[in-house]
Amino acid sequence: MKTNYELRYAAHPKDAKSYDTARLREDFLIQNLFVDNEVNMVYSMYDRLIVGGAKPVGETLVLEAIDPLKATHFLSRREIGIFNVGGAGRVKVDGKTFDLDFKEALYLGCGDRTVSFESVDSAKPAKFYFNSAPAHRNCPDKKVTKADAIVAEMGSLEGSNHRNINKMLVCQVVETCQLQMGMTELQPGSIWNTMPAHTHSRRMEAYFYFEIPEGDAICHFMGEPTETRHIWMKGDEAVLSPEWSIHSAAATHNYTFIWGMGGENLDYGDQDFYKYTELR
């Protein structure tokens, strides 16, 4: 196995206004999350959130403590949320096994523990997408399925944004220190997410887009509400959203995305909304 990581530094919104396409992609887009028998991650200075992926194919992959953590274990001072977006897989934590099927999630609290990833069938490998945030206390481990989620049906087909928001690793479902994660599924014929657009200065957010057919693409919108930018993305890619930025998208096909955030407020509804006509 191999572990790869990179650091991403925070940007002032005044500086981000001058970024060209290449710089926007370099700073905010996260690609190549799922490479056979690798664990790949980005350590972001936005709330020190880590965004990563692991794809075990005939091997067991260990979640190693990367150098910036200065810790003996990855979870020594961190919590983590893991979603399986591939074939059936297993997450082992100090000998305890959690089976995760497609679109099932797992929360693990902080502590000096060994975490590893496996696929049930190497011909149909699991793909584990994860977000990790700093944690100052341990919260109990818990597996969460869509049946456990708080589901909010929003939007309409007429508005091209009929979607189900599955709140899975949120404080109403599982106790966490600061990490909050969920999964939004757009219905056929709908392409817009997170509209009306909003910001939340109390926390950053990361979006991971998947279930996008080959040949289709998604356009992620970011930036200050009156100074927006966009990044074209493919499936199985993630993007970082600073606390000052909107985070919305439209695609050439309906899709699913996983949202994750860390920060000082666990209230999912803590948002500052903007009207469509206010965006620039």
Side-chain angles (χ1 to χ4, degrees):
M1 65 159 287
K2 184 179 181 182
T3 297
N4 305 298
Y5 75 90
E6 60 175 296
L7 295 176
R8 300 282 182 94
Y9 292 94
H12 193 286
K14 289 183 179 180
D15 296 327
K17 291 179 182 181
S18 66
Y19 291 178
D20 61 11
T21 297
R23 180 65 187 275
L24 285 172
R25 295 175 71 85
E26 179 184 356
D27 277 23
F28 301 107
L29 178 63
I30 301 174
Q31 299 176 296
N32 303 315
L33 283 167
F34 302 118
V35 179
D36 290 1
N37 296 319
E38 291 186 5
V39 179
N40 293 289
M41 64 185 87
V42 166
Y43 183 114
S44 169
M45 293 304 174
Y46 293 112
D47 290 337
R48 297 191 179 273
L49 191 80
I50 292 178
V51 176
K55 185 182 179 184
V57 183
E59 293 185 20
T60 297
L61 306 183
V62 177
L63 184 62
E64 298 176 319
I66 59 176
D67 183 68
L69 300 183
K70 306 300 183 186
T72 57
H73 294 75
F74 187 93
L75 294 182
S76 291
R77 297 184 294 271
R78 286 187 158 267
E79 58 187 347
I80 191 171
I82 303 166
F83 278 73
N84 184 7
V85 295
R90 300 187 183 99
V91 179
K92 293 185 177 180
V93 187
D94 277 354
K96 187 176 181 179
T97 300
F98 296 92
D99 294 317
L100 291 186
D101 284 327
F102 184 57
K103 292 186 176 180
E104 293 186 337
L106 175 66
Y107 171 81
L108 300 176
C110 68
D112 289 346
R113 301 181 294 165
T114 299
V115 179
S116 63
F117 305 101
E118 297 178 359
S119 293
V120 172
D121 182 356
S122 59
K124 299 178 181 178
K127 293 190 293 185
F128 298 101
Y129 171 75
F130 59 85
N131 288 173
S132 173
H136 62 269
R137 62 185 176 92
N138 174 264
C139 297
D141 302 339
K142 185 175 180 179
K143 174 182 172 179
V144 177
T145 70
K146 286 173 63 177
D148 304 312
I150 297 172
V151 182
E153 184 176 3
M154 299 187 68
S156 66
L157 183 59
E158 292 77 11
S160 301
N161 61 2
H162 185 201
R163 61 200 189 275
N164 286 331
I165 301 174
N166 300 281
K167 303 174 188 178
M168 297 175 70
L169 304 185
V170 298
C171 57
Q172 296 91 343
V173 177
V174 56
E175 182 185 7
T176 72
C177 187
Q178 66 162 315
L179 185 66
Q180 303 281 282
M181 295 181 73
M183 179 174 61
T184 299
E185 299 169 301
L186 273 72
Q187 302 303 308
S190 291
I191 61 170
W192 280 102
N193 76 62
T194 322
M195 277 292 180
H198 65 257
T199 59
H200 29 66
S201 60
R202 279 69 63 195
R203 59 184 187 269
M204 61 80 67
E205 194 160 3
Y207 273 16
F208 168 76
Y209 295 102
F210 69 112
E211 291 196 306
I212 302 171
E214 187 71 27
D216 283 287
I218 186 162
C219 188
H220 179 84
F221 294 89
M222 61 168 295
E224 294 176 285
T226 57
E227 192 78 33
T228 61
R229 300 290 186 269
H230 68 270
I231 298 175
W232 280 99
M233 301 173 61
K234 300 175 183 178
D236 285 359
E237 294 182 345
V239 65
L240 297 171
S241 177
E243 73 285 346
W244 45 262
S245 175
I246 65 168
H247 31 283
S248 181
T252 56
H253 193 280
N254 67 302
Y255 53 91
T256 301
F257 69 97
I258 294 170
W259 41 269
M261 61 190 82
E264 63 176 310
N265 196 325
L266 297 180
D267 179 7
Y268 177 82
D270 179 25
Q271 304 160 351
D272 298 313
F273 286 97
Y274 299 90
K275 298 177 180 179
Y276 301 134
T277 53
E278 293 178 319
L279 300 176
R280 297 289 185 269

